[in-house]
């Protein structure tokens, strides 16, 4: 595509970029013909607006107007970079492939998807345009966060153009099971596009699992736990994380709205305008076949017919925001719903009482907050939904701890909002019973459930969602002290394993880092917790270290029965077996040459130290100035690459390690698992070298990174003290299981 505005980007370089199909604003023209912009509604905008404002980055997206081009501009503190679409591309890429191919396919074929090659061609072309826009404005090493199903090819395109970038992708809608996904003629190309990202996020664990299975079926790549090993084209692999990051809302903002006197007065007016019925039921949806609006209306109509609800006492407000009105399926849906509403009102309404108040409009947040406050029962009956933020908005607004939420188990929100009345919307009888349960729920029970729901939504808000994703993507973020709630839940699962392996790094995990490695010792709390775990039945503890085995034994003084792995898996001591290491003659010759070169490099350099290991040498630069240490490591890497090109090289924290026999901590974990026949593994480590162990973990295992830094581990702890707390907790839980 011609780049008419390239000169505008020459001085613009952003460290954080969001790429989504739409900008967070809509283009408007007032009555005088003047152009302007207004913030657009929608879950994605609601979720990312506070993140972008804080980051001060750039947002790339379509302005929502076909056949017009706009220069980059700033709106409300956010730099916006519009990407143009022609009218044909809106029809083929957006309304066609995105919303008439991918949307129905990814929502379990609730409506039949259409497959057209010209739509796919437009999808590829537009994705490339978005990728090129991101490549132009990104600074070196920038973080680029690509959003949603309309842009699934962008990660790979962007990685090919800018391999220096850190790329994340978040899928806001479900990802289907392979039996459904496999219908897509371009199934390989889409998966390949997504695998260009470093982290791929999904709403639900089940969606991430579906994606992993599709990768294995289509490409045969190795997947372990939430890590996919993608060939890098140079004989190595690039590790891609795929897992659930449930999206949320700015809960405090919604509660603040609901507490405003004018919003509360509006809620009172809404009830009054409906005749102050005993019960107001509320549905708020985009007009979409995935939202279960027809099922909701059917259940409500039958309850009125059967006399279980009476129109004099119960009214349903159905807000159906306009959506994709030029797509034939949506036009048919609107006609069907409006016909159903008309018949229901004609059959059930009285002069003074309307059965259904149907509103085909979008509303500002203030009006939505008033509706949430006015509603006694919120109905979320989606047939398939990635998350459904409306459920969370309702909960956030109910600061009065009143109201009941009926929630489809097929919405991602049901994984978190377990105190809602959960329902299968396909089961009309079950849906009717759930509505009656919500209507008749005692006030004390409503309050108990709503308090639990509000706690979840408040604690897991949009800031936590974005922070958790970006932490996984970049390794940056604030790590609170203690053991997080998700890690406590993971420990509870591990405690139920039939045979459990607890594998632990040593330096920086059980012992704080010290200047002299021989002064390192595990904390007393860690020692006590390990001894407790080692005494439990079907529970084995292993220390997995980069240290030589002899050094590890000396500083750790392990309890009886603790297994040992040294030199990054090269040395193993399994129960009564002696250390296993038998170097070949050629390896011994390489080791001697390696030792000579590293000794020569470190000799006379203040702060540098060469540590000899049974199968290698480590060059420590911790006590050198950072710039000088980095320079010495570069020199060592270059010298040894020329002299011994087949060495295994590992980067650690202020240490560069060379080995004549390839092995890593992942190999050690796999051998330890096999040795004891473990059903589940807990691995805790703090170093770059521990990433190999995290990559070796399987779906039922738990990896914990100590400290900051990019990691494949799902969980984090702040310090060695928190490691001891986690081990003690696991010992308690494991003892209870026994």
């Amino acid at each position: 595509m011609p780049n008419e505005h390239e000169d505008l980007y020459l001085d613009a370089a952003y460290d954080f970029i969001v790429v989504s199909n739409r900008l967070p604003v809509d283009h408007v023209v007032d009555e005088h013909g003047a152009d302007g912009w207004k913030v657009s509604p929608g879950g994605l905008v609601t979720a990312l607006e506070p993140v972008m404002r804080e980051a001060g980055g750039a947002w790339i997206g379509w302005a929502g107007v076909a056949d017009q081009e706009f220069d980059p501009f700033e709106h409300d503190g956010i730099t916006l970079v519009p990407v143009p679409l022609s009218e044909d591309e809106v029809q083929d890429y957006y309304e066609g492939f995105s919303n008439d191919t991918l949307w129905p396919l990814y929502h379990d074929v609730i409506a039949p998807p259409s497959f057209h090659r010209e739509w796919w061609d437009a999808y590829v072309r537009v994705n490339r345009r978005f990728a090129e826009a991101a490549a132009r404005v990104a600074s070196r090493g920038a973080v680029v966060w690509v959003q949603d199903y309309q842009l699934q090819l962008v990660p790979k395109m962007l990685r090919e153009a800018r391999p220096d970038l850190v790329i994340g992708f978040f899928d806001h809608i479900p990802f289907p099971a392979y039996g459904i996904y496999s219908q897509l003629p371009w199934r390989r190309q889409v998966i390949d596009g997504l695998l260009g990202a470093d982290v791929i996020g999904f709403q639900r664990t089940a969606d991430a699992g579906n994606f992993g299975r599709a990768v294995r079926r289509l490409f045969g790549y190795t997947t372990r736990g939430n890590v996919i090993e993608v060939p890098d084209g140079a004989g190595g692999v690039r590790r891609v994380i795929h897992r659930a990051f449930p999206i949320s809302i700015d809960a405090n903002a919604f509660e603040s709205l609901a507490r405003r006197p004018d919003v509360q007065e509006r809620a009172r007016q809404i009830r009054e305008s409906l005749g102050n019925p005993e019960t107001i039921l509320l549905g708020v949806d985009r007009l979409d076949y995935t939202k279960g609006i027809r099922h909701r209306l059917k259940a409500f109509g039958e309850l009125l017919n059967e006399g279980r609800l009476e129109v004099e006492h119960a009214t349903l407000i159905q807000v159906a925001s306009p959506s994709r009105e030029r797509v034939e399926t949506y036009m048919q849906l609107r006609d069907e719903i409006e016909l159903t509403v008309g018949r229901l009102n004609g059959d059930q309404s009285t002069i003074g009482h309307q059965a259904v108040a149907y509103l085909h409009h979008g509303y500002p947040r203030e009006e939505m907050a008033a509706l949430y406050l006015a509603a006694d029962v919120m109905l979320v009956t989606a047939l398939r939904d990635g998350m459904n933020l409306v459920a969370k908005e309702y909960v956030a607004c109910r600061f009065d701890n009143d109201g009941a939420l009926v929630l489809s188990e097929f919405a991602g929100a049901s994984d978190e909002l377990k105190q809602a009345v959960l329902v299968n919307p396909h089961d009309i009888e079950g849906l009717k019973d759930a509505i009656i349960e919500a209507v008749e729920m005692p006030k004390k029970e409503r309050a108990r459930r709503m308090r639990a729901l509000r706690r979840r939504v408040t604690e897991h808000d949009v800031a936590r969602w974005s922070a958790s994703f970006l932490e996984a993507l970049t390794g940056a973020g604030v790590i609170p002290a203690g053991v997080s709630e998700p890690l406590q839940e993971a420990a509870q699962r591990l405690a139920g394993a039939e045979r459990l392996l607890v594998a632990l790094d040593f330096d920086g995990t059980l012992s704080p880092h010290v200047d002299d490695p021989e002064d390192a010792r595990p904390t007393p709390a860690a020692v006590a917790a390990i001894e407790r775990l080692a005494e439990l039945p079907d529970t084995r503890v292993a220390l997995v270290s980069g240290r030589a085995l002899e050094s590890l034994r000396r500083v750790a003084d392990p309890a009886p029965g603790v297994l040992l792995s040294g030199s990054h898996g090269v040395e193993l001591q399994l129960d009564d077996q002696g250390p296993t290491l038998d170097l070949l003659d050629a390896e011994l010759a390489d080791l001697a040459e390696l030792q000579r070169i590293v000794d020569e490099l470190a000799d006379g350099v203040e702060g540098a130290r060469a540590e000899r290991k049974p199968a290698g040498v480590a060059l420590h630069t911790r006590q050198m100035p950072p710039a000088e240490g980095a320079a010495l490591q570069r020199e060592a890497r270059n010298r040894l690459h020329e002299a011994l090109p087949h060495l295994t090289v590992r980067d650690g924290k202020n240490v560069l390690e060379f080995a004549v026999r390839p092995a890593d901590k992942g190999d050690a974990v796999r051998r330890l698992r096999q040795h004891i026949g473990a059903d589940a593994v807990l691995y805790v480590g703090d170093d770059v070298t521990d990433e190999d162990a995290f990559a070796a973990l399987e779906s039922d295992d738990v990896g914990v990174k100590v400290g900051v830094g990019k990691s494949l581990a799902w969980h984090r702890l702040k310090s060695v003290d928190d490691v001891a707390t986690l081990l003690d907790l696991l010992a308690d839980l494991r003892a209870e299981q026994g």
Side-chain angles (χ1 to χ4, degrees):
M1 169 191 159
N3 187 9
E4 300 95 330
H5 305 297
E6 189 156 9
D7 58 314
L8 295 170
Y9 299 100
L10 293 178
D11 298 323
Y14 298 94
D15 294 331
F16 180 67
I17 296 168
V18 167
V19 185
S20 75
N21 173 64
R22 288 293 300 273
L23 291 173
V25 295
D26 289 326
H27 180 252
V28 293
V29 179
D30 64 20
E31 64 271 19
H32 304 295
D35 286 350
W37 302 91
K38 68 173 183 178
V39 176
S40 54
L44 178 58
V45 176
T46 302
L48 290 181
E49 183 182 39
V51 184
M52 286 301 300
R53 199 175 310 285
E54 182 179 348
W59 187 313
I60 294 171
W62 176 46
V65 182
D67 292 321
Q68 288 196 46
E69 297 196 27
F70 302 94
D71 291 337
F73 63 97
E74 186 171 305
H75 184 273
D76 204 14
I78 300 174
T79 299
L80 304 178
V81 182
V83 173
L85 295 182
S86 69
E87 181 61 39
D88 286 344
E89 287 169 341
V90 172
Q91 292 180 13
D92 292 347
Y93 148 77
Y94 181 66
E95 295 175 351
F97 195 80
S98 295
N99 293 324
D100 207 12
T101 300
L102 294 176
W103 180 270
L105 184 75
Y106 281 30
H107 286 84
D108 293 352
V109 198
I110 293 170
S114 302
F115 303 115
H116 299 292
R117 285 170 289 183
E118 61 271 23
W119 289 2
W120 166 253
D121 293 340
Y123 187 79
V124 174
R125 185 169 64 253
V126 172
N127 270 245
R128 188 166 301 282
R129 190 175 306 154
F130 275 82
E132 289 170 351
R136 285 197 301 271
V137 302
S139 63
R140 175 157 293 280
V143 174
V144 181
W145 193 356
V146 184
Q147 306 289 331
D148 224 357
Y149 65 104
Q150 301 98 339
L151 301 173
Q152 293 175 105
L153 306 182
V154 168
K156 183 181 181 183
M157 293 173 172
L158 198 51
R159 182 162 299 283
E160 290 174 341
R162 292 285 305 275
D164 60 294
L165 299 178
V166 178
I167 304 169
F169 181 91
F170 188 78
D171 182 27
H172 292 258
I173 68 174
F175 194 90
Y178 183 74
I180 293 175
Y181 178 76
S182 62
Q183 297 176 39
L184 184 66
W186 306 277
R187 56 196 184 186
R188 287 181 60 90
Q189 292 96 314
V190 168
I191 295 289
D192 196 35
L194 289 169
L195 289 173
D198 296 292
V199 176
I200 306 169
F202 298 89
Q203 300 281 26
R204 310 180 79 168
T205 300
D207 296 327
N210 287 342
F211 178 78
R213 282 185 285 275
V215 170
R216 290 194 297 273
R217 291 286 295 272
L218 291 171
F219 291 93
Y221 295 161
T222 299
T223 62
R224 293 189 180 93
N226 63 320
V227 179
I228 301 170
E229 296 184 352
V230 180
D232 63 5
V237 296
R238 186 171 55 84
R239 289 166 177 161
V240 176
I241 296 173
H242 69 301
R243 68 176 178 88
F245 298 87
I247 198 171
S248 194
I249 61 170
D250 187 349
N252 289 333
F254 275 96
E255 180 174 339
S256 297
L257 267 181
R259 287 183 179 274
R260 278 172 34 182
D262 60 316
V263 172
Q264 294 179 40
E265 171 60 21
R266 177 59 185 148
R268 188 195 64 76
Q269 292 171 0
I270 290 171
R271 293 194 71 94
E272 186 176 284
S273 67
L274 294 171
N276 283 314
E278 291 178 10
T279 303
I280 292 179
L281 301 99
L282 174 65
V284 175
D285 311 271
R286 281 191 309 102
L287 189 60
D288 193 286
Y289 48 76
T290 66
K291 302 299 184 181
I293 301 173
R294 290 173 289 194
H295 298 65
R296 184 182 314 158
L297 292 171
K298 183 174 181 62
F300 181 65
E302 289 187 12
L303 287 171
L304 292 176
N305 277 331
E306 295 164 4
R308 298 173 70 184
L309 290 178
E310 296 178 353
V311 74
E312 291 82 2
H313 304 301
T315 297
L316 170 62
I317 301 175
Q318 178 59 59
V319 178
S321 303
S323 175
R324 301 165 187 164
E325 296 199 296
R326 299 197 306 179
V327 178
E328 180 64 28
T329 308
Y330 288 80
M331 291 189 283
Q332 293 174 2
L333 176 67
R334 179 179 179 181
D335 290 343
E336 182 180 341
I337 287 176
E338 292 181 353
L339 181 61
T340 301
V341 169
R343 285 177 173 169
L344 206 159
N345 276 333
D347 291 341
Q348 299 294 339
S349 296
T350 66
I351 292 177
H353 299 279
Q354 187 177 12
V356 180
Y358 174 74
L359 307 166
H360 186 56
H361 303 290
Y363 289 99
R365 287 187 187 181
E366 291 82 358
E367 185 73 0
M368 294 311 306
L371 282 166
Y372 293 145
L373 283 176
D376 303 287
V377 177
M378 184 79 213
L379 301 178
V380 177
T381 56
L383 307 180
R384 190 78 162 94
D385 215 337
M387 177 53 62
N388 195 287
L389 295 178
V390 164
K392 295 187 175 184
E393 291 173 3
Y394 177 72
V395 169
C397 286
R398 297 312 300 243
F399 66 90
D400 57 356
N401 287 324
D402 203 358
L405 173 63
V406 176
L407 178 60
S408 167
E409 63 191 55
F410 303 119
S414 66
D415 290 349
E416 300 176 88
L417 306 184
K418 297 185 183 299
Q419 293 300 317
V421 180
L422 299 179
V423 66
N424 173 4
H426 296 282
D427 175 9
I428 299 299
E429 289 299 325
L431 178 55
K432 287 156 58 179
D433 291 342
I435 292 173
I436 294 299
E437 179 185 350
V439 169
E440 297 179 351
M441 187 179 293
K443 183 175 179 58
K444 185 176 180 180
E445 176 69 4
R446 294 200 305 270
R448 182 191 68 79
R449 289 180 181 239
M450 187 56 70
R451 278 194 297 269
L453 292 170
R454 284 179 51 74
R455 190 179 310 114
R456 178 72 189 190
V457 170
T458 301
E459 292 177 357
H460 295 77
D461 63 359
V462 66
R464 180 163 174 171
W465 167 72
S466 59
S468 64
F469 186 93
L470 292 173
E471 180 184 279
L473 183 61
T474 67
V478 177
I479 304 171
V483 181
S484 68
E485 180 186 335
L487 184 49
Q488 291 178 37
E489 294 171 356
Q492 182 75 58
R493 292 195 304 273
L494 284 173
E498 187 173 339
R499 292 186 64 80
L500 176 64
L501 169 64
V502 179
L504 308 164
D505 175 43
F506 183 77
D507 295 283
T509 299
L510 300 176
S511 166
H513 284 290
V514 293
D515 290 339
D516 186 347
E518 291 305 307
D519 292 338
R521 294 293 183 274
T523 65
V527 171
I530 288 172
E531 289 176 350
R532 288 186 62 202
L533 285 165
E535 291 172 357
L536 293 171
D538 296 316
T539 307
R540 300 301 304 272
V541 179
L543 303 185
V544 181
S545 176
R547 288 174 176 264
L549 203 57
E550 182 181 349
S551 172
L552 180 60
R553 270 198 226 95
R554 187 164 54 248
V555 297
D557 189 21
V562 172
L563 307 172
L564 300 177
S565 170
S567 302
H568 300 287
V570 173
E571 300 178 282
L572 284 170
Q573 183 166 328
L574 306 176
D575 293 317
D576 296 331
Q577 302 173 19
T580 57
L581 177 64
D582 297 304
L583 294 181
L584 304 173
D585 289 343
E587 291 173 326
L588 289 169
D590 287 346
L591 180 59
E593 180 65 3
L594 167 62
Q595 291 169 345
R596 185 190 68 78
I597 294 174
V598 176
D599 284 343
E600 182 180 302
L601 286 165
D603 187 38
V605 178
E606 186 176 353
R609 183 173 64 86
E611 178 193 2
R612 297 194 176 196
K613 297 187 177 185
V617 179
L619 175 62
H620 294 272
T621 59
R622 180 181 299 278
Q623 304 204 25
M624 296 179 65
E628 294 178 16
L632 182 61
Q633 287 193 16
R634 281 196 300 273
E635 184 181 356
R637 191 188 293 271
N638 293 336
R639 283 271 304 272
L640 286 161
H641 179 70
E642 291 178 7
L644 301 166
H646 301 300
L647 291 179
T648 297
V649 185
R650 298 186 192 87
D651 292 289
K653 290 183 178 178
N654 300 301
V655 61
L656 190 62
E657 302 198 34
F658 302 92
V660 298
R661 175 168 291 180
D664 57 45
K665 291 182 178 180
D667 297 325
V669 168
R670 284 187 282 269
R671 290 186 64 184
L672 289 164
R673 179 199 294 275
Q674 183 179 31
H675 174 69
I676 72 167
D679 301 291
V681 176
L682 168 67
Y683 188 89
V684 187
D686 78 308
D687 197 76
V688 175
T689 59
D690 293 305
E691 295 303 308
D692 294 313
F694 294 137
L697 299 181
E698 299 178 358
S699 57
D700 292 332
D701 301 336
V702 175
V704 182
K705 164 84 170 179
V706 183
V708 297
K710 189 173 179 182
S711 179
L712 300 174
W714 199 318
H715 303 279
R716 289 181 186 262
L717 291 171
K718 186 174 184 178
S719 67
V720 294
D721 292 333
D722 294 329
V723 174
T725 302
L726 171 64
L727 297 178
D728 212 39
L729 170 65
L730 182 59
D732 287 340
L733 295 170
R734 188 77 167 155
E736 290 173 8
Q737 295 281 342

